[in-house]
Amino acid sequence: RLWSFLSGYLTLTVEGKGLERLINMAVSRGLYIWDVKWTAPGKATVKIRLNGIKAMRHMARRSRCRFRIAEKGGLPYGISRFRKRKMLFGGAILSIILIYMMSSFVWFVEVKGNKKLPAEKVLRTAEEAGLAMGTLKIGLDKDRIEKYIRNEIPEAAWIGVHITGTKAVIEVAEKIILPVPDKSPANVVAKKDGLVQDLLVLSGKAAVAEGTTVKKGDLLISGIITPEIKPEEVKPDNPQLKQPQMIKFVRAKGIVRAKVWYEGYGEARLVDQGTRRTGRKIEVLSIRFLGKELIIRGPKVVAYKDFVKNEKVKTLPVWRNLSIPVELVTTNYYEVRGYRDIIGMSDAKKIAHQKAIAAAKVNLPAGAKIVGEITEEIPARGTGVIRVKVLLEALEDISQVEPLKP
């Protein structure tokens, strides 16, 4: 088949009473024919190589058949058609050249692996090193670009540049910078109201005791340490008392766990009504250009009576401060229907209670442990609404460091 394409082939429409004899003669004499299709009694189409058409004429006469050329194919005829259409041939060659030239440039630059390091900073530094959208790939020194970015961005421990097609990927491995411990004098104060349950002093002097109620901003652990004088040392002739006592300033540290209360409110209706999605969806893909919209895929008119829509817009990347005003818009239409559910009293109380707990937990910090709960139902007769208030009792660390000025 490949050789037939390279040398050229013909599709013949053959008819006559001796059609089967003609095909047997062609096969027995080594004439390569293929795709034999019977279209009617005594009529068929066959494909034959270009160099076998002369022998086919002699065999057709002997078998009292006749044929006509229905189609010409293969490389020779393709080249011949291009010769007649020089503009088309020139356009094809020009397109191939343009595609090759366009693929020789970097059109997309992406940053991967960065967490704290801004991608814009990496892209800006890469552009200074010679890697940006529109950069020619030939002669691009990746090692030099990697070294330049590492030198300009000290936060990066390793930089790798990979180019695949027209896309350049800059992989970043950030340095892990350990924080320098602060040793400046400081107090530990309460960051919220609470009842102190556990007090562990690691550095400094305790200013409160367990079981004490404190308010936000109250001193818990002091960073000021004064020397203690024993009663037996209080003598007029003691030379140490005549010297000024040295006050020591430290950075107070410790854990102060206290009970803190969080309030939440929730309600539920005995008759719940509204709209919900049915699960049916229509997706419409369109292009916006200069205020006009062209639908590529999807219906022009939404068949749903009631629906909600969600729209996602993608824009082309900015190239050399040139912004192309073309947007690719994906719009999803979700069908909705109205509903009316009657909820029992016990179920409504459960729903209101769950909402109240969720509202109270919004302000609950990570690591806090709930140790108690007080639930109160708020009377609301005749309204069709169940209201519940919840008070959560949590045990958490309320300590907060506050700088101390000696």
Side-chain angles (χ1 to χ4, degrees), residues 148-165:
Y148 182 86
I149 298 175
R150 282 198 305 269
N151 293 336
E152 294 296 321
I153 305 179
E155 298 93 334
W158 176 84
I159 296 291
V161 177
H162 308 284
I163 298 177
T164 305

Side-chain angles (χ1 to χ4, degrees), residues 245-313:
Q245 301 297 318
M246 299 299 293
I247 298 176
K248 190 177 180 181
F249 296 94
V250 299
R251 187 173 185 84
K253 295 180 183 179
I255 300 173
V256 183
R257 279 191 285 266
K259 286 184 177 180
V260 182
W261 293 267
Y262 296 92
E263 187 177 273
Y265 170 81
E267 62 179 36
R269 295 184 176 275
L270 296 175
V271 178
D272 186 21
Q273 57 186 3
T275 59
R276 63 165 65 102
R277 296 184 182 182
T278 63
R280 298 176 62 189
K281 180 185 77 169
I282 293 177
E283 185 178 83
V284 177
L285 183 65
S286 60
I287 294 177
R288 288 178 184 170
F289 180 70
L290 297 177
K292 296 183 179 180
E293 188 169 357
L294 176 63
I295 296 177
I296 301 175
R297 186 180 69 238
K300 294 183 179 180
V301 179
V302 180
Y304 304 147
K305 181 180 178 181
D306 299 314
F307 60 86
V308 293
K309 71 175 184 178
N310 181 23
E311 192 175 87
K312 295 181 180 179
V313 181

Side-chain angles (χ1 to χ4, degrees), residues 46-65:
V46 299
K47 289 183 179 179
I48 185 173
R49 287 177 182 170
L50 189 59
N51 57 6
I53 190 65
K54 188 175 181 180
M56 192 69 171
R57 287 197 183 99
H58 293 294
M59 286 183 283
R61 293 193 192 101
R62 294 182 59 182
S63 58
R64 295 182 181 179
C65 293

Side-chain angles (χ1 to χ4, degrees), residues 22-35:
L22 173 61
I23 294 173
N24 292 331
M25 288 173 62
V27 174
S28 63
R29 285 165 174 73
L31 191 63
Y32 183 62
I33 61 174
W34 73 97
D35 284 353

Side-chain angles (χ1 to χ4, degrees), residues 172-187:
V172 180
E174 299 178 355
K175 289 182 180 178
I176 300 175
I177 302 175
L178 298 177
V180 179
D182 191 356
K183 297 183 179 180
S184 60
N187 291 325

Side-chain angles (χ1 to χ4, degrees), residues 58 123 126 140 156 161 202 224 243 289 300 315 333 364 368 382:
H58 293 294
L123 292 174
L140 195 64
V161 177
L202 302 176
I224 303 175
Q243 298 177 359
F289 180 70
K300 294 183 179 180
T315 57
Y333 295 90
L364 199 69

